Amino acid sequence: MPIDGMNRGPAAAVLLASLLALSGCSSTIADMGMPADAPARQKDAGGYLPVHDLPPDRADPTIKPADQAKIEQELVAARERQTQASAQAGK
């Protein structure tokens, strides 16, 4: 049956009422698929993340100076090999 001007108003009202009724269930529907071992949701969802809470500085460096020097030497050697290979390919 085509929707004409006479039936369009009540159809829109029924659609709006059903959308409003279903929107109240959105929080419970979102929790239905949660696993049992999932952490509980925070009550204050509008709070800001702690972006200024930084971890403490490390006591020791992440890479030891000897390892860092070795890596730098390997990178320099790789750069020299690449330069030589591109020079030979250009001839």
Side-chain angles (χ1 to χ4, degrees):
M1 171 171 119
I3 297 177
D4 57 356
M6 298 296 285
N7 290 334
R8 193 172 287 170
V14 169
L15 180 64
L16 180 64
S18 63
L19 288 175
L20 289 174
L22 287 176
S23 68
C25 300
S26 64
S27 62
T28 57
I29 291 173
D31 292 335
M32 287 177 75
M34 298 293 287
D37 59 345
R41 291 184 180 221
Q42 294 181 352
K43 297 294 180 192
D44 183 23
Y48 292 104
L49 296 175
V51 294
H52 295 293
D53 293 344
L54 299 175
D57 291 335
R58 295 178 186 246
D60 55 339
T62 55
I63 299 177
K64 295 178 181 159
D67 292 338
Q68 186 174 356
K70 179 183 173 187
I71 292 170
E72 288 175 0
Q73 289 173 355
E74 290 174 358
L75 288 171
V76 168
R79 182 177 55 205
E80 290 173 358
R81 283 192 306 269
Q82 187 177 18
T83 303
Q84 290 174 358
S86 64
Q88 289 176 355
K91 289 182 180 180

